[in-house]
Amino acid sequence: MKQFPLTLKVVEGLGYKEIEVKTKEELIDLIQKEIDKPEQLKLIDICDNLGIYDTISLFDRRTFQLWELYQTYKYAPHLIDNMIFQDAVLIFNQYEPRVF
């Protein structure tokens, strides 16, 4: 996953402006402001407007929890007695090279 700070090219009128996002919370606030606008945009449109194109880095909370567990136990998945987590390890093993 990308580390902060991030530089995004945000749509402004007919052009773009560059903004720097320093923390995860700042990114969440930026996305929330787009969601709160009166026009109902799809998440993909919001990401386009904010210049977020590598959306594989955008995890929901549960996926992020699985990712953290994967990072902790990826070399010893047999230590956790949970079949869903073992499936998650198999999936993340396939995608890990693409995430970084």
Side-chain angles (χ1 to χ4, degrees), residues 15-71:
Y16 297 93
K17 75 174 182 178
E18 282 194 5
I19 62 168
E20 184 175 81
V21 180
K22 296 176 181 76
T23 64
K24 179 174 67 171
E25 290 76 20
E26 194 175 329
L27 178 62
I28 291 169
D29 289 342
L30 189 64
I31 293 171
Q32 187 63 49
K33 285 178 188 173
E34 290 293 314
I35 291 171
D36 290 341
K37 288 184 177 179
E39 59 271 6
Q40 296 292 312
L41 297 174
K42 295 180 181 177
L43 184 57
I44 191 155
D45 296 327
I46 291 171
C47 290
D48 281 344
N49 289 345
L50 294 176
I52 302 171
Y53 302 110
D54 183 16
T55 56
I56 195 166
S57 298
L58 296 177
F59 291 153
D60 63 1
R61 180 166 293 165
R62 182 65 185 138
T63 305
F64 192 72
Q65 288 172 337
L66 286 172
W67 178 255
E68 287 179 330
L69 281 172
Y70 168 72
Q71 290 298 309

Side-chain angles (χ1 to χ4, degrees), residues 78-100:
H78 60 280
L79 294 177
I80 293 183
D81 186 26
N82 185 327
M83 201 59 174
I84 293 174
F85 177 70
Q86 290 175 355
D87 291 341
V89 169
L90 293 173
I91 293 167
F92 280 132
N93 279 337
Q94 295 172 12
Y95 288 103
E96 185 175 24
R98 293 176 49 196
V99 174
F100 295 104

